[in-house]
């Protein structure tokens, strides 16, 4: 019967699933990258503006701003 309490702590790794705060952060980066992949080849200013509105400090904000300038010419 003592092994049963040990089994309960084995269930404790489920609270380790509370760690998705870290995974959630990675998901934000993935969304950033996925969005950029979708708009980076677009010639529509609205697509680039959409990326910058959603990820103003995103991984690709510098090339997005550059592309926005190029499309605005």
């Amino acid at each position: 019967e003592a092994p049963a309490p040990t089994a309960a702590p084995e269930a404790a790794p489920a609270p380790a699933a509370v760690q998705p705060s870290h995974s959630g952060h990675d998901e934000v980066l993935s969304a950033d990258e996925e969005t950029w992949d979708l708009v980076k080849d677009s010639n529509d200013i609205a697509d680039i503006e959409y990326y910058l509105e959603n990820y103003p400090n995103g991984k690709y904000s510098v090339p997005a701003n550059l592309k926005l300038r190029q499309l605005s010419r």
Side-chain angles (χ1 to χ4, degrees):
E1 292 180 24
T6 307
E10 288 177 20
V18 172
Q19 284 182 336
S21 60
H22 294 299
S23 297
H25 186 67
D26 292 342
E27 288 169 20
V28 169
L29 294 177
S30 298
D32 177 352
E33 291 174 348
E34 286 183 39
T35 304
W36 178 244
D37 282 343
L38 289 170
V39 305
K40 68 181 180 183
D41 296 322
S42 174
N43 290 321
D44 188 342
I45 288 174
D47 290 340
I48 308 304
E49 288 175 338
Y50 175 85
Y51 173 84
L52 288 169
E53 286 170 14
N54 286 280
Y55 307 101
N57 300 308
K59 187 174 182 179
Y60 302 99
S61 60
V62 171
N65 277 299
L66 177 59
K67 183 158 181 84
L68 189 61
R69 284 176 43 199
Q70 290 173 339
L71 293 174
S72 298
R73 288 182 187 157

